[in-house]
Amino acid sequence: MEKQIAIIGAGISGLLACKYTLSKGFHPIVFEARSGTGGVWTKTVENTKLQTPKPLYQFSDFPWPDSVTDDFPNQHQVLDYIQSYAQHFDLLKHIKFNTKVVGIHYEGPSQEEMQSWSLWGGNGEPFSSRGKWKIEVKDTQSLATEVYQVDFVILCLGRFSDVPNIPEFPPRKGPEAFQGEVIHAVDYFNMDFQSARKFLQGKRVTVVGFQKSALDIAMECCAANGVERPCRVLYKTEHWTVPDYLPWGVPLAYFYLNRFSELVVHKPGEGFLLSLLANILTPLRWAFSKFMESHCKNKLPLAKFGMVPKHSFLQEINSCTVSTIPDKFYDKVEEGSIILKKAPSFSFCKEGINVDGEDQTLETDLVILATGFKGDKKLKDIFMSAMFQECLVGSPTTAIPLYRECIHPQIPQLAVIGFSESLSNLYTSEIRSRWLAELLDGTFKTPSIKEMEEDVEKWDQYKKRYSGPYYKRSCIATLHIWYNDQLCKDMGWNPKRKRGFFAELFEPYGPMDYVSPF
């Protein structure tokens, strides 16, 4: 009997999971709450551009069209590219649009029996004759509900949408105390471009945050109001933002995206020699970081505006929080259209915002909270089982414990694609989808639950060592080749993808290196 697989989400990860499970003869059903494919790219700021250079952000078997010449395509071009991929591989017929998954429930062995297992799923296999997942869905238009039974579930929910992260405030000092309007960035994204421009016009706007969304929204505020009503950007921590990916004329990929660059970093599961080498090359690791920092400070007036971060560029890139600065952002700061204001903590009052430790109220009409999303809560809440919710999130002091960043050792017949981050999430989601398809097809088996948990712990230690307070983002940015090597070995592929010793050591790795499993 044909194995049926439920894929939740039709963003990049969902499309890739659909394409590669189809290639192995499975029957996927993709549930998508929106009316189209594209995930976060369907709702974003008008001036948003891709942050990753185009060659690193592409499908291995579907290159960008020649008509897209910019290295950093805009939102329309990225969305068109993703939708063209879905059409090219005939994936749309497998997607149920406007269908929101309300919850998933596992029916099979008892909780006590599952907790006694030594192998994933009890037998080390991705499928089981004893267990099925029930998927409860709701039609977002008719509100009718339906239940599907499937053999395997792939969660491609994404972590940058749907569940906004709203800061907590003291009693009577939150948004309810403010006479103006407070929205989250997601509410702004959901407006069409014309409505968004009109919404900002004539208002004193304060944007809270300093990641990519905050910067893009601030630029739209400038376009709407100029210097007459400057946009205030309230931030807690300075972050390294890059003007380009050519520090002092040398491509950034040569510092962080080749095998040599990974030799300077301690790796999960490394042996004595690799550990010794990483120790010896510590000065080089420091030099790479300082080289990039000097480029940022040379190209951008960070010192002038008090925006030099206290942490290293290495931590920034290891936590996947580095972003490209919008064109002419600091020109707008210089002319007074954008006002940068550090606020480690703040609260609301009737007229606006009070920064803790300061007497003067920051008067404003509109506050936009570009404070991120609760991706872990979104992932947790999809489960109806309290046991699965608890073991998925894990300890408050660890990242979500996924083996190979894809499967939880204690949750059978289920995988997660696209939660853990890298410098190019499309690139990473593709090789994970290929790995998962091979696992489902029986090409290899997972090790014991104990071995998987030990591996997860090693990766958690790596994240904490290099990502600092941002370890929960589960970023594999500067170890993506080491990570891909593990997936390749599992699948029986040769992990060395280059031709020749020097090419293997020094040439940057990208999506096109994994076109075939040679």
Side-chain angles (χ1 to χ4, degrees), residues 159-173:
R159 63 185 302 165
F160 299 113
S161 61
D162 299 327
V163 183
N165 177 41
I166 306 295
E168 294 183 0
F169 299 95
R172 296 183 297 280
K173 290 188 177 181

Side-chain angles (χ1 to χ4, degrees), residues 12 65 166 182 242 263 299 304 325 394 480-481 489 492 503 514:
I12 289 169
I166 306 295
V182 181
V242 297
L263 292 176
K299 283 290 192 78
K304 180 177 181 179
I325 196 80
H480 82 286
I481 303 173
K489 290 173 184 176
Y514 297 92

Side-chain angles (χ1 to χ4, degrees), residues 33-46:
R34 297 185 175 96
S35 58
T37 60
V40 294
W41 287 101
T42 61
K43 295 287 185 180
T44 186
V45 179
E46 186 175 11

Side-chain angles (χ1 to χ4, degrees), residues 2 29 34 84 93 122-123 189 192 235 262 284 287 318 366 390 446 510:
E2 213 174 47
I29 307 174
R34 297 185 175 96
S84 296
K93 65 184 181 183
N123 58 4
F189 298 158
D192 62 73
Y235 65 94
E262 294 195 358
L284 193 58
N318 265 290
L366 169 66
E390 185 178 341
T446 59

Side-chain angles (χ1 to χ4, degrees), residues 95-120:
I95 304 173
K96 292 184 176 293
F97 292 108
N98 302 306
T99 305
K100 180 179 177 60
V101 174
V102 178
I104 63 175
H105 175 68
Y106 185 70
E107 290 190 342
S110 67
Q111 179 177 323
E112 291 74 18
E113 183 179 346
M114 286 191 284
Q115 290 176 333
S116 70
W117 286 344
S118 60
L119 296 174
W120 182 51

